[in-house]
Amino acid sequence: MKPPAPGTVTAVNGAAAVLAAAGLGWTGRHGVAEPVVALVFGLMIAVGELARRRALPGEREPAPLGAASALAYALLGANAGEATSHGVPQTVAVVTAGTLAGAVPHIARGRGPAPDQVARRVITVTFAAVCVQPLHGPGAPAERLATGPGHVLAMLLVLVLTALCDAVLASLVVRSRTLPRGAERTGGAPVPFGPLLRDELRSLPGIGSAVCATGAVMALGTAVAGLWAPPVFCLPLLLTQLSLRRFAAVRTTYRQTIASLARATEIAGYTPQGHARRVAALSALVGREMGLSGPDLTVLEYAALMHDIGQLSLVDPVPDGATALLPAHEQRRIALLGGAVVRQTGVPPAVAVVVERQADPYREQPLPARIVRAVNAYDDLTGDSAGSALTALERLRLGTAHDYQPEVVESLARVLSRGGLGPAQAG
């Protein structure tokens, strides 16, 4: 069960609600400027939301057409050569109305967008509109910047800053949701912000850059050619979304295949049920705690899933699959056999390196291997009570002279402190 939304999420949602209410109230009081333009972009946003699909693992924006149309309206300064004057409040109102209208069918089916997703869109679009709208309209104080070479540079700068704003908001929301309420009072440390932000920034060259580019092209095309431009210029984005969804689906299937292969040791009775999955989940949290992100975190997760595959070469299973209790030479032999098996599966070679080096002295290991070794030992040593969890951590600390890196053990302790030092749960 997910913890209640902590303060950061509430603050983001509250700020978006205030902006949306202010925009709708202002627009309702003063009327809609250029109603045809507002209607077209509102419909584009609503259609983009209607086309929203359930996000696959690793997919950052499940409704790119809605996001690009909202950004385009925020950047819009002219329609077929005539300057627009809709301003910031109306931009927020149209984006809010279009997003909510398109989300209604999904909400009715219980699959609507999360409130923080809508909040991020409202805030980032408001940011973009505040940066761009003062450049347009009759008598705008910065109207000269909206023409000439400076316009392109200004547009690029706004796009970069808007993407960074959204990445920061997304990272703050993820960071807040990973910290259960009250963890600060019990000694829990929040997940480091840096790796989360790096993950978000690394995703920008994918669908994020496509959304920004499409939004800018839709706005510039409308300024020159009129309202037929938005539907035409959104087609490349739809093709990009289809390609990225296929890539995400392939990656999801790939991970599921690796997870199924990792379960071979459980089915054969060599390791306890759920051991590989627990080690992989906890290793990923420890890796993020230590600053890993992106491809490095993927390698760590795959290696953690397959770290016990070498046990299939044993004639007699290790009791409870606890390789951490075996002599060092036997651990190393199993690790090398596991690495040899992993190399035949087609996963990246870095995964096999982590698997085959997990039993080496930690000073000779790459960081992912150090993490897998410590987390595997923790799961091997924990029993059916919280006391055994504390005892397992103490044993890991006693082994930091040779077997376990002290920083990894302390990162593991911090991760456990956030979730509680409960016993290992059955898979």
Side-chain angles (χ1 to χ4, degrees):
M1 183 177 180
K2 293 183 179 180
T8 301
V9 179
T10 304
V12 170
N13 293 346
V18 170
L19 291 172
L24 291 169
W26 190 95
T27 304
R29 180 176 180 180
H30 294 85
V32 179
E34 294 105 20
V36 175
V37 177
L39 178 62
V40 168
F41 278 92
L43 287 175
M44 291 286 294
I45 296 169
V47 170
E49 282 300 316
L50 284 172
R52 172 187 291 270
R53 299 177 64 182
R54 188 177 297 275
L56 296 172
E59 191 175 13
R60 302 288 176 170
E61 178 51 73
L65 176 58
S69 301
L71 181 60
Y73 192 57
L75 301 177
L76 187 65
N79 172 30
E82 296 293 331
T84 56
S85 58
H86 51 279
V88 176
Q90 182 172 311
T91 299
V92 176
V94 170
V95 169
T96 301
T99 301
L100 294 179
V104 168
H106 297 294
I107 295 174
R109 293 195 297 268
R111 297 186 302 177
D116 54 78
Q117 292 177 335
V118 178
R120 278 170 46 202
R121 178 177 296 178
V122 170
I123 293 175
T124 53
V125 167
T126 302
F127 176 84
V130 167
C131 292
V132 171
Q133 289 304 313
L135 306 180
H136 304 290
E143 188 177 2
R144 286 181 298 176
L145 292 178
T147 59
H151 186 208
V152 177
L153 294 177
M155 185 79 77
L156 289 175
L157 178 60
V158 170
L159 289 175
V160 170
L161 292 177
T162 301
L164 181 60
C165 174
D166 185 61
V168 170
L169 285 174
S171 303
L172 287 173
V173 169
V174 172
R175 183 175 186 261
S176 183
R177 288 199 182 281
T178 57
L179 182 60
R181 182 175 294 177
E184 299 94 335
R185 298 191 298 272
T186 59
V191 174
F193 178 73
L196 296 174
L197 181 59
R198 281 199 298 272
D199 275 351
E200 293 296 330
L201 293 177
R202 283 176 174 173
S203 73
L204 291 180
I207 194 66
S209 61
V211 167
C212 290
T214 303
V217 169
M218 288 170 66
L220 295 174
T222 303
V224 175
L227 294 176
W228 66 265
V232 172
F233 286 121
C234 75
L235 294 178
L237 178 62
L238 296 178
L239 295 176
T240 301
Q241 180 189 15
L242 179 61
S243 298
L244 289 176
R245 284 194 67 86
R246 287 183 175 178
F247 175 75
V250 169
R251 186 170 55 184
T252 300
T253 303
Y254 185 54
R255 187 194 180 281
Q256 291 171 346
T257 302
I258 291 175
S260 298
L261 179 61
R263 289 195 67 235
T265 56
E266 300 174 10
I267 296 172
Y270 284 87
T271 57
Q273 290 293 317
H275 170 72
R277 189 164 63 252
R278 290 194 301 271
V279 172
L282 192 51
S283 293
L285 292 174
V286 175
R288 196 180 292 279
E289 179 80 16
M290 298 193 71
L292 297 183
S293 61
D296 295 332
L297 208 56
T298 301
V299 167
L300 172 61
E301 183 183 11
Y302 288 173
L305 281 170
M306 305 181 74
H307 73 280
D308 270 331
I309 203 73
Q311 291 199 45
L312 294 175
S313 63
L314 301 177
V315 177
D316 297 316
V318 178
D320 296 323
T323 53
L325 305 179
L326 294 176
H329 71 277
E330 188 65 13
Q331 293 184 39
R332 193 165 294 113
R333 184 179 76 86
I334 295 174
L336 290 173
L337 290 169
V341 173
V342 171
R343 290 183 187 278
Q344 305 302 315
T345 63
V347 300
V351 177
V353 171
V354 174
V355 171
E356 65 191 9
R357 298 191 61 185
Q358 60 176 310
D360 294 349
Y362 79 79
R363 293 179 178 84
E364 303 173 11
Q365 294 175 314
L367 178 58
R370 300 176 185 181
I371 294 173
V372 171
R373 182 173 190 178
V375 174
N376 175 58
Y378 172 79
D379 197 77
D380 284 346
L381 293 170
T382 49
D384 297 326
S385 68
S388 66
L390 294 170
T391 301
L393 271 179
E394 187 60 29
R395 290 187 62 174
L396 293 183
R397 288 189 171 107
L398 292 175
T400 52
H402 180 268
D403 296 328
Y404 312 110
Q405 183 182 14
E407 292 82 2
V408 172
V409 175
E410 294 312 312
S411 295
L412 172 61
R414 287 195 297 272
V415 169
L416 293 169
S417 73
R418 286 197 292 270
L421 294 176
Q425 299 297 317

